[in-house]
Each structure stands twice: as C-alpha cells, then as structure tokens.
Amino acid sequence: MEESEPLRFISSVLYGVGVCWPDCISGVGDAKHAIFCSLLRKAFIVVPLTLLLPMAGFGVNGVFLAEPISNAIGGIFC
C-alpha cells in the first residue's frame, strides 16, 4: 500500500483542478459545458480506465492511476 502513496498524492492535486474548473465554467453561466466536463471526466474516462488499467498490467496501481489520468485528459479537453 505504501507504493501507492505518490499516486494518491498526484491524484489529490489533480482532483482539485478537476473540481474547480467545472465550477468556474458554471459560475460564468455555461452550465451545459460544465456538466459535459464533469461527465467526461467521471463517467466516460474514469470508469473505463479503472477497469482497463489493472488488466493492462498495472494491477492495483492502475486503479489509483485512473483518477489523475482522467483529470489530466478532462483538463485538456475542457
């Protein structure tokens, strides 16, 4: 479990950006875009990555990597 600590730290840093960005978009009145960004990050990226990365040879670390990867991808596309 100690080997996953850096992965969880990276995830927590990127999670803050992933949560704040849709809130900022919503705050300026573009709620549809904010909903798209949230759904893209959580439903369309995290769930498949959580299922695929462990099978791709990352093991348990793949589960921890799914969150920061989805936050990075969501940040790029939103």
Side-chain angles (χ1 to χ4, degrees):
M1 194 67 163
E2 290 178 12
E3 64 190 34
S4 66
E5 289 295 325
L7 297 176
R8 289 195 283 174
F9 175 73
I10 292 169
S11 177
S12 66
V13 171
L14 291 173
Y15 181 76
V17 175
V19 170
C20 290
W21 186 244
D23 288 345
C24 291
I25 295 171
S26 179
V28 297
D30 194 4
K32 289 181 183 179
H33 189 218
I35 291 171
F36 169 76
C37 289
S38 294
L39 284 175
L40 174 73
R41 189 172 52 89
K42 286 296 184 185
F44 300 125
I45 299 174
V46 171
V47 173
L49 283 176
T50 302
L51 298 173
L52 293 175
L53 287 176
M55 291 188 291
F58 289 98
V60 175
N61 287 333
V63 175
F64 290 110
L65 282 172
E67 186 72 31
I69 290 171
S70 73
N71 287 332
I73 293 171
I76 290 169
F77 287 110
C78 289

